[in-house]
Each structure stands twice: as C-alpha cells, then as structure tokens.
C-alpha cells in the first residue's frame, strides 16, 4: 500500500508510530463486514432525494451527502453522514483497531485510512451507484439563517452525483451546469439552494463572529517521485465555504442535541459524547499581539495597523482587509494573529469552541476518517435503543482514552505535514545548489516575521515559508532588524532576495544569502 512513498516519508511515519498496514485478520473481517446485512434495517427509513456529494476529484471516502428543500420561508437541509457504525460493530476487530488508529493520516496524494479501504472507500462510503446507509441529520433553517429544529435518524439514501469543488464553482460562476448529467435539474436546484443557505448562515445573527483568516500559502503535491508545491488561493472557493457551513452547523446542532438528549434518558441508554473544544486566546497573548501591531505600525509609520482596544480580532482583520494593505503586510498580520490562538482538542465534556464561535461543538461529520465520529454514532444509536449494549464494554473509559488518542493524532498529523514540507523545500532548492554560487537564481521573498536574528520569509513564487538566520541582523523590534551587511533596515512586510548557499552545519537547514533586487 505504501510502495510509492519516499524513504523520508516512511521514516517519518515510523518515527511518529503511525501504522501503515492493517493486520491480516482485520482485513479479512472487513471484507465480511462489507457484505453483512444491515443490523439496523428495521429502524432505517428511505431518505428524501436525490442527494449529491461535493468533495475533491479523487476522494473516495465520502462521508457527507446533501439535499435541500425550499420552504415557504427558509429551507430544510438533509445532511447524510456515512453510517459507519452499522458496518463496524463495537465487538469487532475492525472497531478495536479503529479506536487504536483513531484517524486517517494524509500525505501528498496518499491517504493512510483509519478503516480498511473495502469499507472506507467502498461499502460504507456514500458513493453513487447504489443505495447507501446513512445517519441523517434534518435541519430546518429559517430565512435569516438560524437553525430552528434538528432531528437525527437512520436512513437509506442515494447519491446521484459525485461532484468536485472546482467543477461546481465553475458552474455557479457561469450560471449554468452540464445538462448532460442525469438529474441535472435537481442537482442545479440543490446547488443553488446550498448557496442560499450558506450565505444565510454566514450573515445570520450571532453573538460571536468567528475570525476569518487569509490562507495565502501552498500545499505539497506529488509528481511522480518528486514533491512540489501548488499555490493556494487567498481564500477558499465560495462553494467550499458554503459547504463547510453545513458541516459546521451539523456539528454545532449535534452538540446541542446530544446535550439535550443526555438530560433524562434512562441509564441503560445513556450517552457518552465527545466534543471538540477550543478555548479563547489567553488575554496575555491577545495583549502581546496588540503590542506587536504597535511595533509594526511604528516600523511602517502607519497607525492604521494598530489593533485598537475597542476591536476584537475579527473586526480588526476585517478593517485591515478594507484598507488595501500590501499583500505581504496583510499576510504577515494574519499569520501573527493565528499564532495567538490556542489548540483545539477533543474532550468528554462540552465547552465553547472559539474558532467556530459556538457554546458547544461536536465532530459527527467524518466517521469514515475519525474514530471520534465512529464512537459517537455508536453512542447515539445506543441512546435511541436500536441495539443492546455490548457486555463488558466501558463506554466512559473508552471515551476518555479515545479523546487522548485523538488529540495525539492531531499533533502527529502536524508533525507529518512539517516533515513533508521540509523535504519539499529541500527538493525545490536542490537544482539551485548544483549551480556555481554566482549563477544561482535570486528568489523574491517577503519578510513575514522577525525573531531575534532570524527572519521568517515567504517566497513569492510558491508561498513557501523559510527562515533566514544571519549574524549581520541586529534586532531593533519584533517587526524590524537592521542588516549590517546591507546597511539597511528590514521590516516585516518588506521584500528581499534570497540565494541558497548550501546546507548548515547540521545538514538539515538551508542557509541563504540575502540581497536586494
């Protein structure tokens, strides 16, 4: 399964203790589970239709499908989630292995799935071509975008179109879609309703508006055996934003629903939910960021850059977005603002999620890829009394262990991403290092951060961030250094030229010569 991965990727996976293969007995059992009868057939209804999925072109692990009905005032959104629990009972080897693996891990062009592919990219996925088992969330959305009612049930649905984001966005931009597709009229209606609901959700009244950050950057792509970079747009496609609003709403309403259901259900059908919590930034970190903006404003002689006491991060960044700052300067401020945030984690008790701006948040929309989702659906089905509980199974203990493992997996994925990004940077500059020093190209870069005698720079051609350490840098503030070599001040937001000169003493970090164009 991992034959085409590079040695450094396999080394990184081994170092992070990420298992890449499934035991033979787990694979054998998964084959049987994919063909097993539906244990909840008696409780499953036929869902409305048709449904569609919108994901990336090569995705086969389709967790979510959607259809929308227009009401006299508002909409009814049916959000179908792959019913993995019906395929993977708690007493199975596959379930126990999923609770150990916890998540799917992602590398460029490759996925190490939490579940064997016969399930995650086959029987349990909401692929077109056959009726699919689903956990169905039904939301009633008012005209102002608020959700007034949510119901949960088990259903059978049919996905009539596997669409991708770029394809759908192009249709919406043109105002028409490919009429050769079967069910094109229904599909077009769902897509336009999705836009309406997404816009209504974004503009709905709420007590806390989440901060929206620029995402100027890159993703690592695989071309044959080499890793390269693909630029990301400053903001995601509109259809990605609208689709994400449905997922966010479902996770939010599911958390509310679970909190309500916990009150008064008999103990034999008790619920042990898992929530995603995200604490607000610590006051000290917010004030540190505010002080940094003062230093940046001084460096650029621009008081408009100051994060004012009466502003929150969301209003401050929105104001800057309207002030026509240079791209490097705006990106640098967003980058620093992101660093103020605390880490989001899974927890057995509900608490606010600052990033989403809600009082409680769950993760029920990706059970093919997240053990938390698989566990939670088993809890929901237990609570509804659709099956007998497994003897000797301690839900609360498993929940606590799963939270710990899931949080570790989040950090593992970040470390994996960092290792891959580092290798891609090395590949990118490899050709430069084969040339004589005087013939090596200068790469335009923008300074996005300063720390002592170190500059963090974003390459203009691919938005990759590298750091430059130089003894000629004298720190003047957290937004400025004086470069004695160039005899000039360098500020966050300024452009410089970087030329790779070789590997540092530890042979893991590139050294750069700086100059001006």
């Amino acid at each position: 399964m991992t034959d085409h991965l590079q040695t450094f990727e396999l080394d990184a996976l081994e170092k992070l203790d990420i298992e890449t293969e499934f035991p033979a007995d787990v694979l054998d059992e998964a084959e049987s589970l994919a063909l097993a009868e539906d244990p909840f057939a008696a409780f499953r209804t036929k869902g409305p239709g048709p449904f569609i999925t919108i994901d990336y072109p090569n995705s086969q692990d389709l967790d979510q499908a959607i259809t929308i009905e227009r009401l006299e005032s508002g909409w009814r959104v049916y959000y179908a989630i792959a019913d993995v629990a019906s395929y993977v009972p708690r007493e199975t080897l596959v379930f126990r292995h999923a609770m150990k693996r916890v998540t799917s891990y992602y590398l460029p062009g490759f996925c190490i799935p939490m579940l064997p592919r016969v399930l995650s990219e086959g029987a349990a996925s909401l692929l077109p071509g056959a009726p699919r088992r689903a956990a169905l969330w039904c939301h009633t959305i008012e005209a102002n975008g608020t959700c007034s009612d949510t119901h949960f049930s088990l259903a059978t649905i049919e996905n009539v179109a596997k669409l991708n984001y770029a394809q759908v966005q192009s249709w919406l931009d043109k105002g028409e879609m490919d009429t050769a597709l079967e069910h094109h009229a229904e599909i077009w209606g769902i897509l336009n309703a999705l836009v309406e609901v997404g816009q209504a959700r974004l503009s709905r009244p709420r007590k806390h508006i989440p901060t929206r950050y620029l995402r100027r950057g890159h993703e690592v792509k695989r071309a044959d055996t080499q890793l390269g970079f693909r630029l990301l747009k400053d903001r995601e496609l509109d259809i990605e934003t609208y689709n994400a609003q449905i997922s966010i709403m479902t996770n939010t309403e599911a958390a509310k629903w679970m909190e309500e259901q916990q009150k008064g259900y008999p103990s034999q059908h008790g619920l042990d939910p898992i929530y995603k919590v995200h604490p607000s930034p610590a006051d000290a970190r917010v004030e540190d960021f505010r002080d940094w903006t003062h230093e940046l404003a001084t460096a650029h002689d621009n008081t408009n850059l100051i994060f004012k006491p009466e502003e929150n991060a969301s209003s401050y960044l929105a104001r800057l977005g309207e002030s026509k700052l240079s791209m490097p300067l705006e990106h640098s401020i967003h980058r620093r603002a992101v660093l103020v945030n605390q880490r989001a984690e899974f927890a057995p008790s509900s608490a606010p999620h600052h990033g989403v701006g809600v009082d409680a948040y769950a993760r029920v929309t990706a059970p093919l890829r997240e053990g938390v989702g698989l566990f939670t659906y088993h809890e929901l089905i237990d609570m509804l009394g659709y099956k007998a509980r497994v003897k000797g199974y301690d839900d609360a203990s498993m929940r606590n262990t799963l939270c710990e493992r899931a949080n570790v997996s989040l950090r593992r994925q970040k470390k994996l991403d960092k290792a891959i990004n580092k290798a891609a940077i090395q590949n990118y500059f490899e050709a430069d290092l084969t040339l004589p020093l005087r013939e090596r190209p200068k790469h335009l870069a923008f300074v996005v951060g300063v720390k002592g005698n170190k500059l963090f720079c974003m390459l203009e051609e691919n938005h990759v961030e590298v750091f430059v350490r130089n003894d000629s840098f004298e720190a003047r503030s957290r937004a400025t250094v004086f470069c004695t070599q160039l005899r000039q001040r360098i500020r966050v937001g300024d452009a410089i030229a970087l030329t790779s000169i070789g590997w540092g003493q530890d042979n893991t970090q590139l050294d750069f010569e700086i100059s001006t164009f």
Side-chain angles (χ1 to χ4, degrees):
M1 187 173 78
T2 57
D3 291 346
H4 68 291
L5 294 182
Q6 296 188 39
T7 301
F8 86 89
E9 292 174 294
L10 295 172
D11 289 345
L13 291 168
E14 183 177 4
K15 184 177 180 181
L16 293 170
D17 197 26
I18 296 175
E19 191 177 9
T20 58
E21 305 291 343
F22 290 97
D25 53 355
V26 171
L27 290 174
D28 290 344
E29 185 184 64
E31 293 282 350
S32 299
L33 293 174
L35 301 174
E37 292 186 4
D38 181 4
F40 310 131
F43 306 103
R44 202 177 297 280
T45 60
K46 181 174 173 55
F51 280 78
I52 62 171
T53 55
I54 311 174
D55 214 304
Y56 297 101
N58 297 325
S59 296
Q60 296 297 313
D61 53 345
L62 303 182
D63 287 286
Q64 310 109 15
I66 189 170
T67 193
I68 303 175
E69 296 176 1
R70 286 187 174 89
L71 305 177
E72 185 174 336
S73 177
W75 307 265
R76 183 161 290 120
V77 175
Y78 295 93
Y79 204 46
I81 306 299
D83 185 5
V84 188
S86 70
Y87 284 98
V88 186
R90 279 198 184 99
E91 60 270 22
T92 60
L93 293 173
V94 173
F95 178 83
R96 290 197 290 273
H97 196 269
M99 293 302 99
K100 178 184 175 185
R101 185 170 283 200
V102 181
T103 190
S104 295
Y105 290 96
Y106 292 89
L107 299 91
F110 187 75
C111 169
I112 300 172
M114 179 184 75
L115 297 169
R117 295 183 193 276
V118 68
L119 293 170
S120 63
E121 298 181 0
S125 177
L126 299 181
L127 292 162
R132 300 290 178 179
R133 303 177 200 170
L136 188 63
W137 296 92
C138 175
H139 307 291
T140 300
I141 312 301
E142 303 300 326
N144 67 354
T146 59
C147 181
S148 60
D149 188 49
T150 292
H151 289 286
F152 168 73
S153 63
L154 299 182
T156 300
I157 66 112
E158 186 170 355
N159 176 12
V160 300
K162 179 180 180 292
L163 310 176
N164 67 73
Y165 290 113
Q167 172 190 39
V168 171
Q169 189 64 57
S170 70
W171 290 344
L172 294 173
D173 290 343
K174 291 187 297 184
E176 61 181 7
M177 66 169 287
D178 181 0
T179 57
L181 281 179
E182 191 176 0
H183 303 287
H184 70 270
E186 293 98 326
I187 294 169
W188 188 237
I190 295 169
L191 293 176
N192 281 280
L194 176 55
V195 171
E196 295 166 5
V197 173
Q199 291 174 341
R201 291 291 297 172
L202 288 169
S203 61
R204 73 190 185 279
R206 43 190 162 166
K207 63 182 180 181
H208 172 70
I209 299 177
T211 304
R212 297 189 70 188
Y213 300 103
L214 289 175
R215 67 166 193 170
R216 195 172 188 88
H218 67 277
E219 66 176 353
V220 179
K221 302 291 287 184
R222 190 186 306 277
D224 297 323
T225 60
Q226 293 297 311
L227 299 179
F229 299 104
R230 182 179 77 85
L231 294 181
L232 295 177
K233 298 188 179 215
D234 288 356
R235 296 195 186 276
E236 62 189 2
L237 297 174
D238 288 344
I239 192 60
E240 290 180 274
T241 300
Y242 302 146
N243 202 43
Q245 285 301 306
I246 307 303
S247 180
I248 290 169
M249 175 180 64
T250 300
N251 286 320
T252 302
E253 295 302 318
K256 291 181 187 176
W257 194 80
M258 289 191 294
E259 287 182 317
E260 292 169 0
Q261 301 307 312
Q262 278 185 286
K263 305 171 183 174
Y265 264 84
S267 60
Q268 65 265 32
H269 296 316
L271 178 65
D272 290 296
I274 296 176
Y275 298 93
K276 191 80 174 284
V277 301
H278 185 204
S280 297
D283 291 343
R285 296 176 78 168
V286 174
E287 289 310 308
D288 182 71
F289 174 55
R290 200 182 303 276
D291 292 343
W292 177 83
T293 66
H294 278 267
E295 296 179 48
L296 185 68
T298 299
H300 286 272
D301 193 22
N302 182 356
T303 58
N304 190 51
L305 302 179
I306 294 174
F307 180 13
K308 300 173 183 177
E310 65 271 18
E311 293 179 308
N312 58 34
S314 181
S315 60
Y316 168 62
L317 295 179
R319 173 172 64 79
L320 291 183
E322 297 171 356
S323 62
K324 302 190 186 307
L325 289 180
S326 68
M327 179 280 293
L329 198 52
E330 186 177 16
H331 171 86
S332 301
I333 295 170
H334 277 255
R335 174 187 179 276
R336 183 81 183 202
V338 169
L339 298 177
V340 174
N341 289 315
Q342 299 195 62
R343 179 188 295 155
E345 292 194 327
F346 293 102
S349 301
S350 64
H353 192 295
H354 172 78
V356 180
V358 296
D359 293 330
Y361 195 70
R363 279 293 297 177
V364 299
T365 53
L368 286 171
R369 294 168 282 162
E370 294 180 356
V372 165
L374 173 56
F375 176 90
T376 300
Y377 277 109
H378 272 293
E379 291 295 304
L380 293 175
I381 292 167
D382 280 353
M383 186 200 67
L384 295 176
Y386 289 173
K387 63 172 181 163
R389 298 178 77 82
V390 178
K391 289 184 179 180
Y393 185 86
D394 186 344
D395 289 27
S397 177
M398 170 56 79
R399 173 180 63 173
N400 295 337
T401 299
L402 183 57
C403 286
E404 293 173 5
R405 290 175 177 172
N407 291 330
V408 169
S409 74
L410 294 175
R411 295 191 284 275
R412 278 179 176 158
Q413 181 67 63
K414 287 185 178 180
K415 290 178 181 178
L416 184 59
D417 293 342
K418 186 176 180 180
I420 290 168
N421 194 67
K422 184 176 180 179
I425 291 173
Q426 293 173 350
N427 285 348
Y428 185 76
F429 284 101
E430 191 173 358
D432 288 15
L433 297 177
T434 64
L435 300 172
L437 182 59
R438 66 181 180 276
E439 296 178 15
R440 293 177 191 173
K442 291 183 177 183
H443 297 273
L444 174 62
F446 300 102
V447 178
V448 295
V450 169
K451 186 175 182 180
N453 69 337
K454 185 188 297 185
L455 298 182
F456 295 89
C457 303
M458 184 180 72
L459 300 177
E460 191 274 339
E461 65 255 36
N462 55 20
H463 300 175
V464 169
E465 189 171 303
V466 298
F467 74 82
V468 181
R469 189 166 36 208
N470 195 307
D471 292 337
S472 71
F473 295 156
E474 297 177 356
R476 297 292 170 88
S477 75
R478 292 183 297 170
T480 309
V481 299
F482 183 81
C483 179
T484 57
Q485 175 188 332
L486 299 178
R487 297 183 180 179
Q488 71 178 50
R489 178 181 64 165
I490 301 175
R491 307 165 300 176
V492 167
D494 284 348
I496 60 174
L498 299 179
T499 304
S500 55
I501 58 176
W503 297 104
Q505 292 182 351
D506 59 1
N507 206 37
T508 62
Q509 180 62 48
L510 272 170
D511 286 337
F512 294 94
E513 179 181 79
I514 66 166
S515 59
T516 57
F517 278 97

